Amino acid sequence: MKKWIIGSLVGAIIVFAWQAASWMFLGIHNSHMKYTPAQQQAIDALSTALPEDGMYMLPTAPPGTSEKEKQELMKQMEGKPWAMVTYGKSWTNNMTQSMITGFLVDVILVVLLISILVRGGLPSFTGIFTGAVAVGVFSFLWSHYLLHNWYNVSWSSIQPFLIDAIVAWGLCGLWLAWWLRKPVTVKS
């Protein structure tokens, strides 16, 4: 149990530190968020047009639209501009709460990773490392890559998340491979 607790806490620190570095210091996510000098006009238009917080696909069919009408709308959209917008009526920047939540999520993820890796016995160093990287790549493919596939989200928007998945979980995997396989010393 001690191995799991220490392994999870240190693993979460490693993942959290990578996330902070990739977003704040290394510029890996600079291509993810685009700038437009017309941002105030866009915000003004969205504030007028969007009724509540949420994610919007523009254009999209209203609720209750038949499948035939949805298919017609898709044909009409072909070759025209579209947008996927995450909209909030009021920005709040509670960095402390976000950081605490982010770290707790990382702890949970590392606990789950350990539980997956040690099912059926303790794998080799290489098995732990590749298992951790595989979980990172799996999470990227299931989330961000599917946006690229289904909604044509640009590669420049999702590539930073692939880098994060490989590096963060690779570093965590190296730690866990060393820590979990380290012999337990018994004090007499």
Side-chain angles (χ1 to χ4, degrees):
M1 183 57 91
K2 178 182 169 184
K3 279 214 176 257
W4 277 47
I5 293 169
I6 293 171
S8 297
L9 290 174
V10 174
I13 290 168
I14 291 168
V15 171
F16 187 83
W18 173 260
Q19 291 169 320
S22 76
W23 279 93
M24 295 189 289
F25 312 122
L26 300 176
I28 291 172
H29 289 269
N30 288 351
S31 65
H32 174 65
M33 306 280 186
K34 301 290 186 191
Y35 169 80
T36 175
Q39 63 187 5
Q40 191 56 53
Q41 294 93 319
I43 288 290
D44 291 344
L46 291 171
S47 296
T48 302
L50 301 179
E52 61 185 333
D53 292 0
M55 183 167 258
Y56 294 84
M57 176 73 176
L58 307 171
T60 195
T65 302
S66 71
E67 282 304 312
K68 182 179 178 184
E69 291 170 311
K70 287 178 185 177
Q71 293 300 320
E72 187 57 39
L73 176 62
M74 288 181 72
K75 287 179 189 172
Q76 292 171 6
M77 286 172 53
E78 192 67 36
K80 294 181 181 172
W82 65 279
M84 186 180 295
V85 177
T86 303
Y87 175 73
K89 285 202 172 283
S90 176
W91 172 262
T92 56
N93 188 15
N94 187 343
M95 190 59 74
T96 303
Q97 179 182 346
S98 296
M99 291 178 78
I100 290 169
T101 302
F103 180 73
L104 291 175
V105 166
D106 291 340
V107 170
I108 292 166
L109 290 172
V110 178
V111 167
L112 292 172
L113 174 62
I114 292 171
S115 71
I116 291 168
L117 292 173
V118 300
R119 289 272 186 246
L122 189 61
S124 67
F125 185 98
T126 304
I128 293 171
F129 171 73
T130 58
V133 172
V135 166
V137 172
F138 176 92
S139 65
F140 165 78
L141 292 172
W142 180 250
S143 59
H144 294 92
Y145 188 78
L146 286 179
L147 290 173
H148 175 69
N149 180 53
W150 292 105
Y151 296 105
N152 299 314
V153 172
S154 70
W155 179 248
S156 65
S157 291
I158 67 167
Q159 183 182 27
F161 296 98
L162 176 60
I163 293 168
D164 284 348
I166 293 170
V167 176
W169 294 105
L171 292 171
C172 184
L174 288 172
W175 154 251
L176 291 175
W178 175 79
W179 176 251
L180 293 175
R181 298 201 49 80
K182 183 178 175 187
V184 176
T185 56
V186 179
K187 294 181 181 178
S188 13

